[in-house]
């Protein structure tokens, strides 16, 4: 374990801290996007590393208020994609959008993800783990909160491999919700929240925070997970 | 006068309308950014034309909530710049940021404009006219609203020609505020709001909306305007 943080807040846009890092490996480089919080607002910053010893910061890629960014691990149709979560003040809901980029530093082509919403993510949703490529589509494990109790759960959807703007399948019910004591009690009760998952021998391994206090691991058989989803037209 | 609108809302992100267009000429192309409003939020869209007859839409370049975008009329240090106005919900204030782009479609490098704030723009500020190149710097005519009465006025500042992130001079008082009856009375009282200005023979011509009801023209001698500004360190 490092004695000092690997990424340390050191500029004006990180005045209140850096949090919720998500890591996407592309080639031999790890792209780390994280939420930078300051008096100016909640923005998304990008850093890169090849060895987790040396890190290079690349500044702000999405502005306030935007967090829960998940960069896809390869180009699709010639450009990079990310799930972003802009938060409107006057009109609209906090939810996932897609954005595209040619260089990972400059982003555009924003379009809301046209997905069904359920009671468990009715209040807001946003990215969770970095999307995982499967034969059936991009597996997206995302978070949502309900209106009744602000309970944070994890859902699953599949995006089209060639065009991630198309949602091809989705889970009506959360694939994970707070039920264990270390998920229902803590700094922020009734929260499961993931920033990363990966596939090993057909099993999805998802690391997640419980009640903003502990780190936990959940596993799911990929085939069973995919079979449980509802296909969309 | 056209019988039909030149730019007509015709897609999901323009469901509630398209407004506040700002036009930047770069070469033989006019880049028109405008606020697109829909159930998804308030975003900024980009369109281009060469003749104001045929128009091509390029989709969303800044997401919700972001409006009052002003694209600079030339590359600076190899890339394009724009003033943007993201609106945070949780932390921060609605104010101007700078963003940079290599292709005008994908944007990043967000940084807040480090400018003094005054009583007249204490509630919020944002872009007005497209920046005008002068020998002394980029002349930015921008809007602001006060806290007491939500009165919208126009201010002026100068940004460094080579590095627009540096504010080199600013007007402490608005260069224009609502005082005439057609500015103090109307659909939205006590508002002067500009989306465009240009320089002819050393005179700034600024067109602006009065009380969201009428269009008006204000003129100012450029040299007097520059002389009236306070130089910043």
């Amino acid at each position: 374990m490092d004695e000092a943080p690997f990424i340390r807040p050191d500029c004006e846009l990180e005045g209140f801290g850096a949090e919720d890092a998500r890591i996407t490996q592309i080639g031999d480089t790890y792209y780390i996007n994280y939420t930078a919080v300051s008096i100016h607002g909640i923005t998304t910053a990008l850093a890169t590393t090849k060895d987790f010893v040396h890190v290079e910061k690349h500044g702000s890629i999405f502005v306030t208020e935007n967090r829960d960014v998940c960069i896809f691990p390869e180009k699709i149709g010639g450009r990079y994609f990310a799930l972003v979560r802009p938060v409107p003040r006057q009109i609209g809901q906090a939810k996932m959008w897609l954005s595209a980029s040619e260089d990972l530093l400059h982003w555009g082509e924003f379009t809301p993800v046209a997905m069904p919403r359920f009671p468990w993510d009715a209040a807001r949703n946003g990215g969770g783990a970095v999307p995982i490529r499967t034969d059936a589509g991009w597996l997206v494990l995302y978070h949502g909160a309900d209106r009744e109790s602000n309970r944070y759960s994890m859902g699953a959807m599949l995006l089209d491999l060639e065009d991630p703007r198309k949602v091809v399948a989705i889970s009506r019910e959360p694939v994970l919700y707070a039920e264990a004591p270390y998920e229902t009690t803590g700094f922020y009760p009734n929260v499961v929240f993931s920033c990363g998952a990966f596939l090993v021998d057909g099993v999805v391994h998802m690391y997640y925070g419980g009640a903003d206090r502990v780190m936990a691991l959940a596993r799911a058989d990929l085939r069973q997970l995919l079979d449980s989803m509802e296909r969309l037209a």
Side-chain angles (χ1 to χ4, degrees), chain A residues 12-192:
Chain A
E12 194 176 343
L13 290 179
E14 299 172 358
F16 297 160
E19 64 191 33
D20 290 355
R22 290 177 174 87
I23 304 174
T24 301
Q25 183 181 1
I26 303 176
D28 65 350
T29 302
Y30 298 92
Y31 292 85
I32 307 170
N33 65 259
Y34 56 98
T35 301
V37 185
S38 74
I39 194 172
H40 300 290
I42 298 169
T43 66
T44 301
L46 185 69
T48 51
T49 187
K50 288 179 191 286
D51 55 13
F52 286 93
V53 177
H54 305 93
V55 66
E56 188 182 352
K57 290 191 175 184
H58 302 279
S60 181
I61 54 173
F62 296 106
V63 266
T64 191
E65 194 163 333
N66 207 320
R67 67 197 311 167
D68 302 322
V69 170
C70 298
I71 298 173
F72 286 67
E74 59 187 76
K75 281 189 174 179
I76 305 168
R79 55 214 204 288
Y80 299 102
F81 279 85
L83 290 164
V84 302
R85 210 286 296 273
V87 178
R89 190 163 70 180
Q90 284 191 289
I91 302 175
Q93 222 183 355
K95 63 182 180 184
M96 282 179 280
W97 294 55
L98 272 166
S99 180
S101 175
E102 291 180 357
D103 63 4
L104 295 163
L105 296 173
H106 303 84
W107 294 84
E109 305 178 54
F110 295 94
T111 178
V113 178
M115 58 191 288
R117 301 291 291 271
F118 307 109
W120 70 267
D121 77 331
R124 78 197 72 89
N125 67 27
V130 169
I132 297 171
R133 177 190 255 283
T134 76
D135 292 343
W138 291 104
L139 174 61
V140 172
L141 297 164
Y142 65 100
H143 78 269
D146 65 16
R147 287 193 195 282
E148 292 71 29
S149 56
N150 209 34
R151 186 179 79 155
Y152 276 72
S153 306
M154 296 298 299
M157 68 175 168
L158 274 179
L159 304 181
D160 187 275
L161 279 182
E162 309 297 323
D163 181 359
R165 288 167 298 191
K166 291 185 194 158
V167 183
V168 296
I170 198 161
S171 293
R172 287 198 159 268
E173 300 294 332
V175 294
L176 188 75
Y177 56 88
E179 50 180 344
Y182 55 84
E183 297 163 342
T184 56
T185 310
F187 180 72
Y188 201 119
N190 293 314
V191 169
V192 293

Side-chain angles (χ1 to χ4, degrees), chain A residues 208-220:
Chain A
Y208 66 97
D212 274 23
R213 192 173 56 93
V214 298
M215 282 304 297
L217 170 65
R219 290 189 292 203

